[in-house]
Amino acid sequence: MIYPATDRYIKMAKESLDNGDIIVYPTDTLYGFGVDATNSKAIQRLNRLKGRCQPLSIIIKNVSEISNYAKINPLISDELEKIFPGQYTVLLPSIPSKLSKLVFNSSPLVGIRVPDHFFPLKLVKEFEKPIITTSINRHGNTPLNDVTQVEIDFPNVDIYEDKNHSPSKGSTIIDMSKNPFSIIRQGDGIYPK
C-alpha cells in the first residue's frame, strides 16, 4: 500500500518497525528500505528481499547521537556539523552498541545518515532507535525511485510517498575512518561543503 509521507502516518510506520516489518520511506536522496537496525530477524528479511548481504547504513535523528555508534574526534565532529542533516553517508569506526551485527556484516565501520527530510528524522525520533537505510532494489539492479514501480516490484511492503520527491543519484559516501577523508561514491551531496 502507498500512504502519504506525512505526520499523520509516522505512528503507522513506527508500528511497522516495532513489528519487525520492512517499510519504504523518502529521504533527501533516494527512497529507502527501512527496518529496525537493532532487530536481526528484520534485517535478515530485508537481506533476503534484496538478495544480498552487505554492510548497511543507519539513519539517526541528529549529529549528537553519532557518538553512540561510532568513534569520533573534534575534527570529524566539525565536519559532521557542516554536512548533516544532508545528502551524505559517512563511514566511521564502529563502537559496541545495540545495533545488530548484521548492520556491519563483518566490517569495522558503520555507515551513518542524518538526511535532510522530516519524515525519516521524525520517524527515528518517535521510534527511539536507528533504522536501516538502503536503496530499493534487488542485488545488481538499479535503485528504484518511483513509488509506482516500487509497489509493483515489492507489493507486500508499505510505502510512504513524498509527492515532491525528485530524481537522485543517492547520497555521497565519505570515508571518515582515516585522514584525509575520501569520497567512496559521489552522489547528490557536494563535498567538501
Side-chain angles (χ1 to χ4, degrees):
M1 284 286 291
I2 299 176
Y3 304 96
T6 59
D7 278 342
R8 194 175 148 202
Y9 288 95
I10 295 278
K11 187 167 183 273
M12 186 177 172
K14 176 194 175 293
E15 283 168 4
S16 293
L17 295 173
D18 281 333
N19 293 333
D21 295 334
I22 301 167
I23 63 167
V24 166
Y25 59 91
T27 71
D28 52 353
T29 57
L30 296 165
Y31 276 90
F33 275 133
V35 293
D36 176 353
T38 67
N39 183 333
S40 294
K41 280 188 177 157
I43 296 172
Q44 279 174 334
R45 204 172 298 133
L46 177 59
N47 284 338
R48 277 198 300 275
L49 188 68
K50 282 185 66 101
R52 66 168 198 141
C53 263
Q54 287 180 340
L56 295 160
S57 297
I58 61 169
I59 285 181
I60 57 175
K61 65 183 180 213
N62 56 39
V63 172
S64 60
E65 269 207 332
I66 292 176
S67 58
N68 296 338
Y69 306 100
K71 200 185 297 179
I72 57 173
N73 58 40
L75 170 68
I76 291 170
S77 204
D78 287 348
E79 283 303 299
L80 297 173
E81 290 287 353
K82 285 182 206 166
I83 64 171
F84 283 143
Q87 301 166 315
Y88 305 89
T89 299
V90 294
L91 302 178
L92 292 163
S94 66
I95 60 171
S97 70
K98 290 181 179 166
L99 295 175
S100 163
K101 286 183 172 39
L102 296 177
V103 170
F104 312 102
N105 199 40
S106 303
S107 169
L109 306 180
V110 60
I112 297 178
R113 285 212 69 199
V114 184
D116 191 10
H117 194 292
F118 87 94
F119 192 84
L121 291 183
K122 190 152 186 190
L123 181 55
V124 289
K125 195 174 174 189
E126 295 277 324
F127 189 51
E128 297 181 338
K129 287 185 269 189
I131 62 172
I132 296 295
T133 184
T134 183
S135 58
I136 300 174
N137 58 335
R138 289 199 170 84
H139 188 57
N141 295 350
T142 308
L144 299 174
N145 210 27
D146 170 4
V147 292
T148 312
Q149 191 59 50
V150 173
E151 190 178 37
I152 292 165
D153 287 17
F154 302 99
N156 301 320
V157 178
D158 283 344
I159 300 163
Y160 296 89
E161 179 186 21
D162 178 353
K163 292 274 190 202
N164 300 318
H165 210 260
S166 41
S168 170
K169 294 182 289 195
S171 63
T172 296
I173 302 175
I174 309 162
D175 185 348
M176 293 189 175
S177 65
K178 48 192 180 297
N179 219 336
F181 304 149
S182 58
I183 293 180
I184 304 297
R185 179 185 79 192
Q186 183 61 58
D188 295 344
I190 306 302
Y191 188 81
K193 213 169 175 186

